[in-house]
Amino acid sequence: MVEVLLVGVRHRWRPMHSNGVLDKLMALITTGKPFIRDLEATGALALYAPLEGGFEGRYLRRLRANGYETLAITARGLGDLSMYLTGIHGVRPPHLGKSNIRTYFIPPIVTYNLEKLPPKSKGLVLWILEGYVLSSQEIEYLTGLPSSEPRVKVAVEMGGDRAFRWSPLKDLLVPA
């Protein structure tokens, strides 16, 4: 039995395991240590979060509190992942027939953020939203990214679930 103080009135609250009230309460006060430990061990995780949201922010906050810098991007429209994340790539804005065709060269987003890391930072966590649109080759590249650059960790949201859970990203790769 847990004693809870609500607006100056003490209530006795019995945890109900049948409908998951205790699970929802524990999700609010989670420390995120198993998540961070698994992320450091594997380097790349596939995430499944409840569709109502909120859990991503909690775990991002836990990562920042543990010394990581975070970079949240969406998987839609990334194009070539290796060039977008680690190489200089050109972008051509639409000219709409009224101006000259131009190409802008944009610095790589991961290497640029790695250069800006504070000295005491543990590294950079690349949090990718809507990862279900990624192909198997792109998932394979993201799985190998932490081994090529040890200061980078990857967390890819692959879909929804009833509770926040994760698994190694390499488990999603299907042997051909």
Side-chain angles (χ1 to χ4, degrees):
M1 189 178 304
V2 178
E3 195 168 309
V4 180
L5 182 65
L6 296 173
V7 193
V9 180
R10 289 185 181 247
H11 295 277
R12 293 272 193 222
W13 179 68
R14 296 178 192 271
M16 299 178 67
H17 297 286
S18 61
N19 63 1
V21 172
L22 184 61
D23 294 336
K24 291 176 184 174
L25 179 66
M26 295 310 285
L28 293 175
I29 58 176
T30 183
T31 62
K33 287 183 182 176
F35 171 72
I36 294 170
R37 201 173 324 126
D38 289 345
L39 184 63
E40 289 172 346
T42 62
L45 291 178
L47 308 176
Y48 300 91
L51 298 176
E52 63 265 11
F55 289 89
E56 302 91 343
R58 289 187 196 111
Y59 282 94
L60 282 168
R61 203 168 46 248
R62 302 300 189 301
L63 284 168
R64 286 188 214 114
N66 279 308
Y68 285 99
E69 295 292 318
T70 59
L71 177 64
I73 61 173
T74 182
R76 292 186 184 271
L78 283 181
D80 184 12
L81 275 182
S82 62
M83 289 305 293
Y84 184 79
L85 298 176
T86 58
I88 296 175
H89 60 287
V91 174
R92 287 186 171 184
H95 61 86
L96 303 175
K98 302 195 185 284
S99 61
N100 296 334
I101 298 174
R102 298 183 288 266
T103 301
Y104 297 109
F105 292 96
I106 298 177
I109 192 165
V110 169
T111 25
Y112 180 73
N113 282 297
L114 282 175
E115 292 170 359
K116 294 188 334 180
L117 281 180
K120 293 185 178 182
S121 177
K122 286 185 177 180
L124 177 71
V125 175
L126 184 63
W127 192 285
I128 300 179
L129 306 169
E130 299 175 325
Y132 51 84
V133 300
L134 296 173
S135 67
S136 59
Q137 291 86 7
E138 292 169 331
I139 291 173
E140 185 176 357
Y141 173 76
L142 290 173
T143 302
L145 185 61
S147 60
S148 65
E149 178 56 62
R151 295 182 299 165
V152 175
K153 308 292 182 213
V154 179
V156 183
E157 289 187 21
M158 296 304 291
D161 202 354
R162 298 187 76 138
F164 191 84
R165 68 178 177 89
W166 59 89
S167 64
L169 192 59
K170 64 180 177 184
D171 291 352
L172 294 180
L173 297 174
V174 179

